Every structure is written in C-alpha cells, then in structure tokens.
Amino acid sequence: MSQNGAPVDIGASRPAEVVRVEGLTKVFPNGVRALSGVDLEVRQGEFLVIIGLSGSGKSTLLRCLNRLIDPSAGRIWIFGDEITAVEGAGLRAMRAEVAMIFQQFNLVKRHSVINNVLSGALGHTPLWSSLLLRFSGEEKAQAQAYLDRVGLGDRGDSRADALSGGQQQRVAIARALMQKPRLVLADEPVASLDPALRHSVMRHIEALNREEGMTVLCTLHDIDLIERYATRVVALRDGELVYEGEPKSFDAVTFHQIYGEDAVMAGSAVD
Amino acid sequence: MEISAELQRQQRSPWRHRMRQVQAFLIDLLLLTLFLLMVEFLVVAFSGRRGPTGLLVTPEEILDLLHYGWAAAGGALLALLWGFGSDWLGTSPGRALVLGVPEREGHRPWTHTLRGWFIALMVQLTVFTGWLITEVQLVTFLTQFSKATDIVRGLVHPSSTVLHQGLVLLVQTIFLAFMATAFAIPVAFCLSFLAARNLTRDTFLLRSAYTLVRAGMNFTRAVEPLVWALIFISWVGIGPFAGVLALWVHSVAALVKLYSEQIENIDHGPVDAITATGASHLQVLRFGVVPQVIPPFLSFTIYRWDINVRMSTIIGFVGGGGIGYILKPRVDLGQWGEVGTLVLLIAATVWCMDILSAKIRERIV
Ligand SMILES: Nc1ncnc2c1ncn2[C@@H]1O[C@H](COP(=O)(O)OP(=O)(O)OP(=O)(O)O)[C@@H](O)[C@H]1O
Ligand SMILES: [Mg+2]
C-alpha cells in the first residue's frame, strides 16, 4: 500500500476511495486487544459486509471509523481526509457525513418518531433552535418524506418506543437518510429482529446503497444474508482481518477458516 | 489466583498500594484505640470509684477521666503488632476492609479467627458502653408514663385558639417548601451534568469540574439545614425567606446527588446515536441524555418538595418562618392543647403531601 500515508487513487477509472484504514489497532483500558493491525480499503458504492465471531472486533472497527472509539494505533482516512485524531468541528463535520445504524436501534425512546428522524439533521441545524426542538419547515417536510419512504409515514407522532423492533430500525434508517450521508455504518442492523423481518429492513439498507449511491459497511451475523446483499465480504478473527473476497466465493472452506472447525454452517438449517 | 492479582495491582501502582496500607493501619489504629478506651470506661464504671462530691462518678465524668493519649499509643502499638504478625494472628480488621482477605483464610468461620472474636467483642463493648453513656433507664421508661399524660392529653384535645394562625402559617410553610424546591431545580439541573461520572471523563477540565462539584455538594449536604437556617437568618433576617434559602441550599445538594445518579444510569445507546450524527455536546445532552432523565428528575423533585415541607417545620423553630415559628414558644410554655392543634395540622399536611407525591410519581415513571 502507499508508503507516504496519503490516500492515492490508483487509476481514474476506479471509484473514489471512501474508507482507508492502515494498521488500525485498539487496546481497551482493561487490556483487551479488540483490533490488531487492520488494513482495509473501501470504495465508492460498495456494500461491504464484515463478518466474524462474537467478540472478533466488528463493532470496534465500525466505531473507530466515526471515532465513537478512539483507536490506539494506526491511521484512518474518510473520503480522503485523515480523521485519526481530528477533534471539535472537524470531527463533527466528518460524523455528519457518516451515518450509523445500531443493533439496538438507539432511538430517543421518549421522543416522537418524527423528532427522531429530525435528529439526524443535528449536524447541520443551528444550535439554539435545535435545543428547543425547533426545526425548519423544509427539514420537517424532508423528515416526513423519509418516513413515508420507510413505510411509516402515518406514525410520525407516535412515541418511538411504541413501535415494534422492525419499525424502530426503519425509523433509524430514516434518521440516517436525514443525515444525507455518503457513508453508512450498520452494526448488526437485523440481529435483534425476528428472522422474518430481516429482509424488510435489509432491503431499505440496500436501497441506501443502490438508489442513493451511499457506500455501506455492514456487520452481519447470518451468513445467508451475505450473498443476497454484499458486494464484498471481509472477516475478522480475534481482531485481525483473516478473509477478503467476493460473496459468491464464500463457501464451507472459508467459513471454517473464519469461524473455526467446530462451527456449523447455518444456511438452510436456520431461516 | 487472588494473591497474584493483588501482586499485580501492587506492581502497577505501588503508590496507591502504599496509601491503602496506610488506610488499613489507620482503621486498625482507630478500632484498637476505641477498644482500649471502652475497656477502661467499663473498668472505671464498675470499680465503684467516687468523685469529688462523694457520689459515684457519672458517665460524663468518666469520659473526662479516660487516658486518651495512652489509649492511642496502645492502639498504635497493637495495630503495628497485628500488622506485622498477621501471619500468625490472621488478617487485621482494617486490612480485611481495605485490602480484602487473602484466599488462604477466606473461608474460615469467624470463630476461628482473631478478627472474628475481636469484632464480636467490639460490638458487645459498644452496646455496654453505649448503654451507660446514654444513661438508659428501662425501669423509669416503663413505670413513669403518668408524668407525660398532660402532654398526650393536650395533643388529643387540640385547642381551637391557634387554628386560624396555624392555617395561615401552614400555607406559608407549603409555599416556603415550594419556593425552596423551585429555586433549587435549575441550579441542581445544571450542576448534575457536571456531577455525573459518565459525562465528565473526556477532558481534564471536565474531570476537575466533577471533583469540584462533587466535593462542594457533599460538604453542603453534610451541613444540617438547621445550621444553614441560622446562617441565613443572620444574613437576611428572621422570617420565611431565610427558611427558603436554607432549604434551597440543602435541596440543591440533595437533588444534584439524586439527579447525577440518574444520569449515570442512562442507556448509552441514544448518546452514541446522536453523537454519530455529528451533533455538538449540548445537542447530545439535549437529545441523548435529557429525555431519559426527565421522568426520574420530576419524581425526585416532587419527593424533595415533600421532604422540604417536613423540614420547614424544624427550620421555623429557629426563626426561619412557617408553622414551626409559633410551635416553639408553645412547646416552651407547655400549652399542650395549642401544640396539639399545630402538630395535627402538620401531620395532616405531611400525610396529604405523601399521598399526592406518591401518586404523581407513580404516574410519571
Ligand atoms: N468498551 C470496552 N471496554 C473493554 N473491552 C471492550 C469494550 N468494547 C468491546 N470490548 C471487547 O473488545 C472485543 C471486541 O468487541 P466487539 O464489540 O468489537 O466485538 P464484535 O465482533 O462486535 O462482537 P459481537 O458480535 O458480540 O457484537 C471483545 O472482546 C469485547 O469484550
Ligand atoms: Mg458488535
């Protein structure tokens, strides 16, 4: 890879680089080494799925990318700018362009659904009016349009915690849309949903990628979702990147490489 | 396992380990000194020693006679001996408290350790000494009830002469408590974010603010509202406003503690989600934290108002306004009928506040 550390576009024909990670390492204060020396490059328009056993460092990797976690070593570039150590306004500007979707939805439970969607715009709204929960008419119309799009147009006034899990995750997707991000980080977006609802949520995330042209990094637990949604797969094992390839070439051999000999491939058994 | 963990900890921060050893020694010193003092107290008390007047010495005189310096020296000596001899004597109470009991003596029953016997003896000594010092007189308590019948009769036969004035001052009491609570809310609300550990880890400035606010509030809370009342009475003069200020200061400290504990217990998910949108610190607080803590804050605040109504009675005793102000002279003059009226008024109010606040809190949470 590049020696001087600056992001380099190799050939004008390839899509622009969105994420670049070099030697990313995270050691938590309690001594757990969650990531060690991860190198990764993601280009515009990819739907990258990250897999790995529980505790392999998937969440830590995603959270380093928007700096919810500060890395211990290594460097990170987002859209070509190094963000490894930015602070203050620079950090917030980067975060505003990177949306995150969580396994536990993380909505503001006591706020209305529409307010939750509007909170996606906080990176751009004036401070004082947002503290009073006042948003512009334009923003409200935008939020309503996104709610319509995830099929919850009539639930804007409900309290967020009155919705089912699948509906809450769709609100979280509308919140991400509201952010108008160029990159979406989804951390096990369907892991706490009923298997029957998984595709309904995954399809919306797919739409972010296909229709809005957003680059998506998504961690997943179910192997059977990979082939359907991913354009590329990487796998983590004990904090190290151990696999990278096309979703189609992901077979039983690679599965055991990643998950160990004792693991049982779910495939048709589940779902 | 246990020992190696302890060793690791020693190596990681030798300075902190030293501090813990000093703490353990000081606790041992205190316990052993108290032990020696109580033994001496009981020996003197039961020796039949007579004072200058020829009567048996009273507990207060004995307290005056004790050899505090010698006891402290003896305590220090014993604490040192126990510390160095812990291989034969077992872990001392101070070490057990601060550093924990090592694995090898962890499961021994208390009757098999010196520490167990020492603590058992300490408890017994404390009860005996306490009995003498507080001059417990069971017989008097059980046989002399008749002397108090006047008061009790007064209390159950309230007189109507102070009813009007009592009601007026009762209204004042309730408002006094209300104003103290109302003034306390904004101050406590702002301070509580600085007093919450989970929001003040990031920068040195925030960590210092946390320590400062915590220390200040702990001190303020440790000072009795009655003392605050005396301070404010000399500051703004006798009257309800001094009472408002006294309860205000105390309420701020109490509410900051309750509020900040709630903030420390929030679900961190929404905070992460709002942070990830690029929101600023204030926006993260407004969207990620505040909605989660509003219901418990409301419930604590109403509870605080309830407590303030009770406290304002006592505050009135020293001149801080409210119903306590007219209660005190009547207690002093022994006008038990009027005292009864006022006590019943207070009891009724407290009872109503109690029910009301419980109902509201039930609804909110
Ligand atoms: N805040 C933290 N403090 C200490 N250790 C942590 C922290 N967060 C994660 N870890 C540890 O880091 C390792 C990687 O955790 P991470 O959450 O990234 O794994 P994951 O692959 O997302 O797992 P899962 O599939 O269970 O979500 C784990 O061993 C975990 O215990
Ligand atoms: Mg995870």
Side-chain angles (χ1 to χ4, degrees):
Chain A
M1 304 232 164
S2 84
Q3 259 69 53
N4 59 7
V8 195
D9 249 334
I10 313 153
S13 58
R14 293 184 66 187
E17 176 185 279
V18 173
V19 176
R20 177 191 192 78
V21 168
E22 283 180 11
L24 187 64
T25 300
K26 176 64 189 179
V27 182
F28 283 106
N30 61 1
V32 173
R33 196 178 182 85
L35 293 174
S36 35
V38 172
D39 296 313
L40 184 67
E41 203 180 295
V42 186
R43 294 196 167 262
Q44 174 64 42
E46 281 196 81
F47 194 119
L48 177 75
V49 166
I50 304 166
I51 56 172
L53 277 177
S54 188
S56 57
K58 305 182 295 294
S59 303
T60 310
L61 174 59
L62 287 192
R63 284 165 166 265
C64 280
L65 294 183
N66 66 357
R67 293 277 308 284
L68 283 183
I69 293 179
D70 285 327
S72 315
R75 303 172 74 179
I76 304 168
W77 290 264
I78 303 284
F79 314 124
D81 300 322
E82 176 161 9
I83 55 96
T84 319
V86 287
E87 288 297 336
L91 179 59
R92 292 205 297 276
M94 178 275 285
R95 282 175 176 159
E97 295 204 72
V98 181
M100 192 166 218
I101 294 168
F102 301 82
Q103 177 178 351
Q104 298 303 335
F105 328 131
N106 291 353
L107 299 182
V108 181
K109 293 199 177 68
R110 302 180 61 87
H111 275 188
S112 65
V113 165
I114 194 83
N115 260 344
N116 269 288
V117 179
L118 282 164
S119 71
L122 284 176
H124 311 289
T125 49
L127 177 64
W128 291 108
S129 52
S130 72
L131 290 185
L132 298 171
L133 303 186
R134 277 213 295 265
F135 292 89
S136 70
E138 197 184 328
E139 284 166 333
K140 284 184 197 156
Q142 189 62 228
Q144 184 58 46
Y146 288 139
L147 264 188
D148 289 338
R149 202 160 134 181
V150 295
L152 292 169
D154 54 338
R155 301 301 300 272
D157 294 328
S158 312
R159 243 174 69 158
D161 55 3
L163 268 53
S164 72
Q167 291 171 328
Q168 288 193 37
Q169 195 60 299
R170 273 143 63 196
V171 174
I173 291 171
R175 175 172 68 186
L177 273 164
M178 193 69 199
Q179 224 174 307
K180 300 199 176 62
R182 289 197 275 160
L183 169 64
V184 176
L185 309 172
D187 191 3
E188 298 186 19
V190 292
S192 35
L193 299 180
D194 196 294
L197 291 173
R198 289 184 180 169
H199 284 290
S200 78
V201 167
M202 282 308 291
R203 263 197 292 276
H204 285 292
I205 296 179
E206 185 181 36
L208 299 181
N209 180 245
R210 299 271 165 86
E211 292 162 28
E212 303 289 325
M214 298 171 189
T215 309
V216 175
L217 267 69
C218 180
T219 67
L220 284 178
H221 256 328
D222 338 37
I223 310 299
D224 48 321
L225 291 176
I226 296 174
E227 199 171 334
R228 167 78 174 73
Y229 296 101
T231 61
R232 189 156 68 103
V233 184
V234 297
L236 284 172
R237 183 168 175 178
D238 296 332
E240 287 176 44
L241 215 59
V242 293
Y243 172 85
E244 173 173 0
E246 299 279 308
K248 277 194 278 298
S249 56
F250 188 83
D251 55 20
V253 179
T254 44
F255 176 84
H256 286 296
Q257 230 175 330
I258 296 159
Y259 288 97
E261 294 305 325
D262 297 338
V264 180
M265 200 156 167
S268 53
V270 180
D271 202 354
Chain B
M1 289 301 281
E2 180 72 18
I3 293 168
S4 79
E6 178 60 32
L7 265 178
Q8 263 182 5
R9 225 177 301 147
Q10 278 177 35
Q11 280 158 2
R12 215 175 301 151
S13 57
W15 183 80
R16 184 166 295 174
H17 183 70
R18 223 29 37 226
M19 284 304 294
R20 284 158 147 261
Q21 279 183 322
V22 171
Q23 264 181 21
F25 171 75
L26 287 178
I27 292 174
D28 280 337
L29 168 71
L30 188 72
L31 282 176
L32 288 161
T33 306
L34 278 174
F35 178 79
L36 293 176
L37 284 172
M38 291 197 287
V39 170
E40 190 188 1
F41 181 93
L42 290 174
V43 168
V44 176
F46 288 108
S47 66
R49 184 161 160 188
R50 286 168 193 280
T53 51
L55 295 171
L56 281 176
V57 283
T58 64
E60 277 168 53
E61 284 166 340
I62 300 181
L63 283 179
D64 213 35
L65 287 172
L66 295 181
H67 300 91
Y68 293 96
W70 285 111
L77 187 67
L78 289 177
L80 276 178
L81 282 179
W82 202 337
F84 286 119
S86 56
D87 285 346
W88 308 288
L89 299 171
T91 313
S92 65
R95 290 182 144 260
L97 207 63
V98 179
L99 299 163
V101 182
E103 188 86 339
R104 64 192 140 84
E105 31 176 306
H107 308 294
R108 235 179 273 171
W110 70 269
T111 46
H112 289 204
T113 61
L114 184 59
R115 186 177 67 249
W117 281 103
F118 175 74
I119 291 171
L121 200 58
M122 268 308 267
V123 172
Q124 296 203 359
L125 281 176
T126 313
V127 172
F128 280 131
T129 319
W131 187 285
L132 293 177
I133 287 186
T134 57
E135 301 174 27
V136 173
Q137 296 166 328
L138 270 190
V139 180
T140 320
F141 175 70
L142 293 174
T143 55
Q144 307 289 310
F145 171 71
S146 55
K147 290 185 184 164
T149 43
D150 267 0
I151 300 179
V152 176
R153 191 177 307 126
L155 290 179
V156 296
H157 292 90
S159 104
S160 60
T161 47
V162 283
L163 188 60
H164 180 72
Q165 202 189 358
L167 278 172
V168 169
L169 283 176
L170 192 63
V171 172
Q172 193 187 53
T173 301
I174 294 171
F175 273 99
L176 191 160
F178 175 79
M179 290 310 280
T181 318
F183 285 149
I185 294 170
V187 183
F189 183 85
C190 296
L191 287 178
S192 63
F193 290 92
L194 291 176
R197 193 84 203 98
N198 54 341
L199 301 182
T200 52
R201 274 198 205 105
D202 294 345
T203 65
F204 176 74
L205 203 69
L206 281 175
R207 283 193 295 270
S208 327
Y210 168 84
T211 314
L212 214 69
V213 171
R214 274 276 151 136
M217 290 301 118
N218 280 339
F219 174 77
T220 313
R221 214 152 23 90
V223 176
E224 282 289 314
L226 207 60
V227 177
W228 286 116
L230 292 174
I231 293 173
F232 284 114
I233 283 167
S234 23
W235 190 335
V236 301
I238 283 187
F241 186 51
V244 169
L245 289 175
L247 289 179
W248 169 68
V249 170
H250 197 258
S251 301
V252 166
L255 284 177
V256 165
K257 184 171 161 59
L258 294 172
Y259 286 180
S260 59
E261 271 165 14
Q262 279 307 312
I263 295 177
E264 283 170 358
N265 284 333
I266 56 165
D267 168 15
H268 218 262
V271 176
D272 285 345
I274 300 298
T275 308
T277 64
S280 65
H281 287 301
L282 278 179
Q283 288 172 324
V284 171
L285 289 186
R286 177 66 189 86
F287 284 78
V289 181
V290 170
Q292 292 192 60
V293 294
I294 286 292
F297 276 23
L298 269 177
S299 135
F300 283 132
T301 309
I302 292 167
Y303 181 49
R304 192 66 222 170
W305 181 20
D306 183 3
I307 293 179
N308 280 347
V309 168
R310 295 166 209 216
M311 278 193 171
S312 59
T313 314
I314 304 296
I315 299 280
F317 266 51
V318 295
I323 200 164
Y325 193 47
I326 58 166
L327 184 56
K328 176 77 161 56
R330 282 163 181 78
V331 170
D332 290 344
L333 294 174
Q335 296 163 336
W336 301 116
E338 301 187 352
V339 170
T341 313
L342 297 175
V343 167
L344 286 178
L345 280 178
I346 294 168
T349 314
V350 167
W351 186 57
C352 289
M353 290 290 300
D354 206 44
I355 293 176
L356 192 71
S357 99
K359 278 265 178 291
I360 297 177
R361 282 187 285 140
E362 209 172 283
R363 273 270 157 263
I364 290 172
V365 181

